[in-house]
Amino acid sequence: MTYDPQNVFARILRGELPCRKLDEDQHSLAFEDIHPLTPTHALVIPKGPYESLLDFADQASDAELASLVRLLAKVARDKQVDRTGFRVIANTGSDGGQDVPHLHFHVLGGRRVGPMVKRPSDG
Ligand code: 5GP
């Protein structure tokens, strides 16, 4: 699939849209989700044009891969959810519920995040 350079996170990375930046390094950016679902709700994204975890795994350099994982951990510590616990989610594709076609990891915490997924019988 072709990466869409007009997606909202690409526009944030180019400085065309604002974000509440938390941290960054050469390869990755962390910022606050615009509609937080939990007291801590950060997004961590690679700066490169990767639509999904699949593209990232196939094409990213070792430095990009390491940067993203380290920034996830740093955000969790900086937000002080490292002791209480947190959840990292990367929604992928349509069944995964991915709305923005630029790889992003949600970091959710600051309260009990709840069950991992709903059962179909829960509606
Ligand atoms: P997805 O459903 O793709 O896993 O998650 C996309 C996330 O991006 C949502 O949690 C949504 O609130 C967030 N989001 C969408 N547009 C913007 C934006 O312009 N700025 C920020 N900071 N977050 C956004």
Side-chain angles (χ1 to χ4, degrees):
M1 204 182 273
T2 313
Y3 178 79
D4 171 14
Q6 294 309 320
N7 79 74
V8 69
F9 295 167
R11 298 189 65 202
I12 285 174
L13 284 165
R14 288 196 297 270
E16 295 169 8
L17 292 175
C19 74
R20 289 175 59 198
K21 184 164 80 176
L22 295 168
D23 208 337
E24 69 178 323
D25 68 10
Q26 185 185 347
H27 297 297
S28 310
L29 173 69
F31 53 100
E32 303 278 7
D33 195 290
I34 202 166
H35 296 304
L37 297 171
T38 48
T40 291
H41 189 169
L43 297 169
V44 180
I45 68 173
K47 291 185 176 178
Y50 303 110
E51 179 172 329
S52 77
L53 188 64
L54 302 169
D55 306 319
F56 192 57
D58 290 346
Q59 296 159 28
S61 67
D62 289 354
E64 290 175 293
L65 293 162
S67 154
L68 199 126
V69 174
R70 294 210 167 96
L71 193 55
L72 280 168
K74 184 168 189 299
V75 165
R77 290 199 175 98
D78 289 350
K79 286 287 188 180
Q80 301 183 326
V81 293
D82 51 322
R83 283 172 187 242
T84 45
F86 59 95
R87 185 172 297 164
V88 174
I89 298 174
N91 296 321
T92 305
S94 56
D95 278 1
Q98 181 176 5
D99 293 320
V100 178
H102 182 111
L103 173 62
H104 50 283
F105 290 82
H106 299 257
V107 180
L108 300 158
R111 67 164 169 82
R112 288 286 173 118
V113 180
M116 191 163 64
V117 290
K118 277 199 219 171
R119 295 174 201 278
S121 55
D122 294 337

